Amino acid sequence: MKPIPLARVVSSCFAIATLALASAAFADDVSFGHDQLCGLQTARPDRNAAVQVKTVQGRNGPIGYARFGRGTPLLLITGYRATLGEWNAYFLGELAKHHDVIVFDNRGVGRSAIVEGRFGPDYGVRDMAADAADVIAGLKLQRADVVGWSMGGMIAQQLALDAREKVASLTLIATAPPGPQAVPLTPEVQQVLSSSGADAFGKIMGVLFPADAVADASKCFVGDMFAPRDYKGRPVPDAVAAQQNQAMTRWFADSAAAAALRRSPMRTLIIAGANDEVLADANARRLEQMIPRARLDVVVDAGHALMFQYPIELARHIDAFVSK
């Protein structure tokens, strides 16, 4: 696939038209400078032996989570075929300077093992959002700022709709809106993300990062993953991956969720990579138009896995929004 062109700065005419429609949303291009893929000399929480993966009881079984940092609660929801270990450790460390960071495994993944007879054989984005709400409740948090990446951004949107009182703000990274206005993954990209075998890693790096960042990303990706002591992110079962894929397919047809988002009062930051080959930045622009209190920032020269490409700057960007 050809790289998606760099996003254009929103013109004043567009801004005036947006205001005329009584929308608080605005968009801008942002640059995080040079890629920070390797050689970071900063804190990472998984070097602390006290940071361990525990479980909290959800309505459908145990949910694996890790918690660290100090400050306001920040719940991160990860994406397709990802465990909590797929977050960049330096990104999490930067967030933990000002926040009580919570990461967790989606159902059927990692420590959130399927409990026979309790997990339904068929579940969707709403069910996974209910799991996220159970994490907030199980940790006895009144509410949390919520960050969702990729499929996790879809779950975060549904969480904000179904449990609005638990969500202080919403940050959506490289994700897509519900309903037919979304631009779904292409079959080719879906096949790459679902691949396994000796050559799968290289192919996946090729769609997660812009072409000029793939080499460094391939060297750094595994070493920079969040790896708390005694946690092994087991391979995601094929049945779980298939169920997640089906959940996203349904999300792209969910007109009711799209209509509800148009009425959402949630303060929302949308962050997209201008060169995202997984979920095109057109999705971010449609999300901005859909959510009344949304702000959109398109990161130039960034792909789908922004937290690995720019871990420190992305964390600071999110913190600036959340802390307002």
Side-chain angles (χ1 to χ4, degrees):
M1 294 179 62
K2 294 181 179 179
I4 299 168
L6 296 180
R8 295 185 297 272
V9 178
V10 176
S11 68
S12 58
C13 291
F14 181 83
I16 292 170
T18 303
L19 290 171
L21 291 171
S23 170
F26 66 94
D28 201 0
D29 284 357
V30 297
S31 173
F32 288 160
H34 296 296
D35 291 356
Q36 306 159 26
L37 286 164
C38 290
L40 296 178
Q41 301 297 319
T42 187
R44 50 184 293 170
D46 51 356
R47 293 292 185 260
N48 183 348
V51 175
Q52 299 179 359
V53 176
K54 303 177 181 180
T55 59
V56 63
Q57 189 63 31
R59 69 196 72 185
N60 286 303
I63 301 172
Y65 77 95
R67 186 178 186 181
F68 45 87
R70 182 175 297 179
T72 55
L74 189 68
L75 181 76
L76 283 78
I77 310 177
T78 194
Y80 175 68
R81 290 187 71 188
T83 70
L84 60 81
E86 257 78 18
W87 291 107
N88 179 282
Y90 300 105
F91 169 71
L92 297 180
E94 188 67 22
L95 289 173
K97 291 179 180 179
H98 304 289
H99 300 283
D100 174 12
V101 175
I102 301 116
V103 294
F104 70 98
D105 285 325
N106 290 317
R107 64 168 63 185
V109 174
R111 294 279 177 87
S112 298
I114 292 178
V115 178
E116 188 174 352
R118 298 186 69 183
F119 275 85
D122 184 30
Y123 56 88
V125 169
R126 170 162 279 175
D127 301 292
M128 290 186 280
D131 296 338
D134 286 346
V135 174
I136 296 173
L139 297 181
K140 303 188 184 313
L141 303 174
Q142 283 194 324
R143 61 180 189 163
D145 294 287
V146 175
V147 178
W149 172 66
S150 196
M151 184 189 76
M154 304 171 198
I155 298 169
Q157 291 171 63
Q158 190 67 59
L159 174 64
L161 293 175
D162 292 346
R164 188 174 72 188
E165 73 286 355
K166 296 181 184 296
V167 181
S169 72
L170 204 54
T171 298
L172 306 174
I173 307 171
T175 191
Q181 286 191 338
V183 181
L185 290 74
T186 66
E188 294 80 10
V189 167
Q190 183 64 50
Q191 184 176 13
V192 168
L193 294 178
S194 302
S195 63
S196 58
D199 61 344
F201 180 76
K203 291 179 179 178
I204 292 171
M205 293 295 101
V207 298
L208 290 183
F209 296 93
D212 61 357
V214 169
D216 279 343
S218 299
K219 288 186 292 185
C220 301
F221 191 87
V222 174
D224 288 356
M225 286 168 57
F226 178 59
R229 182 174 295 189
D230 297 329
Y231 177 79
K232 299 247 186 241
R234 296 184 290 265
V236 176
D238 290 343
V240 172
Q243 190 64 54
Q244 290 183 352
N245 186 39
Q246 186 178 51
M248 288 190 291
T249 299
R250 291 175 179 171
W251 177 255
F252 295 134
D254 194 342
S255 297
L261 276 179
R262 292 187 176 94
R263 302 187 299 272
S264 172
M266 190 61 59
R267 192 170 70 93
T268 304
L269 172 63
I270 303 163
I271 304 173
N275 293 356
D276 190 337
E277 291 196 22
V278 177
L279 289 168
D281 66 345
N283 283 300
R285 299 188 183 284
R286 290 169 187 179
L287 264 173
E288 182 208 16
Q289 295 165 3
M290 190 176 290
I291 303 174
R293 296 183 65 196
R295 158 186 163 183
L296 169 60
D297 290 329
V298 179
V299 183
V300 298
D301 198 29
H304 191 65
L306 287 88
M307 79 289 285
F308 277 88
Q309 198 175 351
Y310 300 104
I312 305 303
E313 288 302 323
L314 179 62
R316 290 173 179 171
H317 199 71
I318 293 170
D319 175 61
F321 168 76
V322 169
S323 301
K324 281 185 178 179

